[in-house]
Amino acid sequence: MLFLTPLVLTAVPYQLIGTGSYRDGGTVWAKVKSSSGETYEMCIDRRIKSSTPLEMYVGAIYPTKQEASIALESDRSKLVFILNELTALDPEKHARFITVLKEHEQFKKSEPVR
């Protein structure tokens, strides 16, 4: 499972490999690479008639993949922070992902970190 250990709250040691979306109602995904070379995958569920709408999954780029698991509550704010910072570097390219990320309850609860 992704991020079982505490995350450092900074976007610096991470590089956004890419984001995308599916035509299933709008599920979005992101791939991130750490400074140590590890690649992490995550997605936010927007499937039509999903039983887990806007749930954040880690370990895969689609919620039904075997490797996907629901992100730990303690890691969601860290994921939102990192992904918000990384996608903000090129907002046009990552517009769909940013839109869905802002719908996520954790984004709405988060305080700006400076």
Side-chain angles (χ1 to χ4, degrees):
M1 183 183 292
L2 175 64
F3 300 136
L4 287 179
T5 57
L7 297 174
V8 176
L9 281 179
T10 176
V12 176
Y14 298 96
Q15 174 188 8
L16 186 63
I17 296 172
T19 63
S21 63
Y22 294 96
R23 294 179 181 208
D24 62 353
T27 297
V28 294
W29 59 266
K31 288 185 182 182
V32 176
K33 186 176 184 179
S34 71
S35 58
S36 63
E38 293 176 89
T39 300
Y40 301 102
E41 298 179 342
M42 66 82 55
C43 62
I44 299 174
D45 188 3
R46 290 273 324 266
R47 294 173 290 161
I48 296 171
K49 297 183 181 179
S50 171
S51 61
T52 58
L54 290 175
E55 188 63 77
M56 190 176 290
Y57 287 82
V58 294
I61 60 171
Y62 200 72
T64 59
K65 297 266 186 192
Q66 186 174 0
E67 303 83 10
S69 60
I70 294 175
L72 298 173
E73 183 68 33
S74 60
D75 287 335
R76 291 179 192 172
S77 62
K78 297 169 189 176
L79 286 166
V80 167
F81 173 78
I82 290 167
L83 291 166
N84 187 49
E85 291 291 310
L86 293 173
T87 55
L89 298 173
D90 193 346
E92 285 185 32
K93 182 177 180 181
H94 307 294
R96 181 71 187 132
F97 186 89
I98 292 168
T99 299
V100 175
L101 185 65
K102 288 181 178 182
E103 292 174 8
H104 194 276
E105 66 180 57
Q106 198 63 51
F107 184 88
K108 294 175 184 178
K109 287 194 273 185
S110 66
E111 294 292 324
V113 179
R114 297 285 168 222

